[in-house]
Amino acid sequence: ERAKRCFDCVAVCLGGIAVLPVLLLLALLVRLSSPGPILYRQIRIGRGGRPFVFYKFRSMRVANDDGEHRRYVEELVVHGAAAAESGGQKIYKLVDDHRVTGVGSFLRRTSLDELPQLINVLRGEMSLVGPRPCLPFEWELYKDWQKRRLSVTPGMTGLWQVTGRSYVTFEDMVLLDLFYIANWSFGMDLRLLLKTVPVVVFGKGGL
C-alpha cells in the first residue's frame, strides 16, 4: 500500500510537468466553451465509503438539472438497464445528454476531463489505478457485496475503463473491480496504465 502510494506521487509529479501545457490548453477551451468555472467539483465516495471532493474539467453547462442522470443511474444499478444500443450492442451509459457542451463532449470521449483528478491522487484520495469512485446516491443503492469494490483507494483508470466502459453492465463492472482487488500487482497497474493510452487517444469505450 505504501509503495503504491509512493509510485502514485512520483508518477504524478513527473507526469504533471509533461502534461502541463495540455492542462493549460484544456482549461482555456473549457473557459471559452460556456460561462462557468473551469473545474467541476463533486462529492464522491472513496475508500471505505468516505466522501471527498472530486475534480474534473467542467463538461456541462452550469445550473443544469441532474434528475435525468440520477434516474438513469438508479435504473442501471438496480435493474441493469442499458441507455441505448449501437449496432445491436447495448450501451450502459447515458447518451444524448443535452447538458454537455461541444468541448465537453470531446473531453468526455477522450477522458481528458479526468486529468484534474491528479490533484486527488496527490491528496491521497485517489490512486492512478483502481475502482472508480461513485456518487453518494449510488453508494446508497449498492448491495453489501457491491460496496466491496471500494474497499481500496479508488483510481483514475482501471480494469473497467480499458475493458470498454460504455459496454459493460454495472454488475460486470463490480466483478471487474473485485477481480482487480484480489489480483493486484505493480505489473497489473503498469499494464492498465499503458492500455489506458489508446482509450484516451482513440476515445475507445467512450461516447
Side-chain angles (χ1 to χ4, degrees), residues 147-162:
K147 290 183 176 182
R148 287 171 47 209
R149 65 180 294 269
L150 286 175
S151 61
V152 298
T153 303
M156 291 183 63
T157 189
L159 192 55
W160 168 63
Q161 285 86 341
V162 303

Side-chain angles (χ1 to χ4, degrees), residues 43-52 132-136 139 150 154:
I43 298 298
R44 290 286 183 109
I45 300 299
R47 182 171 183 168
R50 291 189 295 271
F52 68 97
R132 291 293 288 167
C134 68
L135 292 163
W139 180 255
L150 286 175

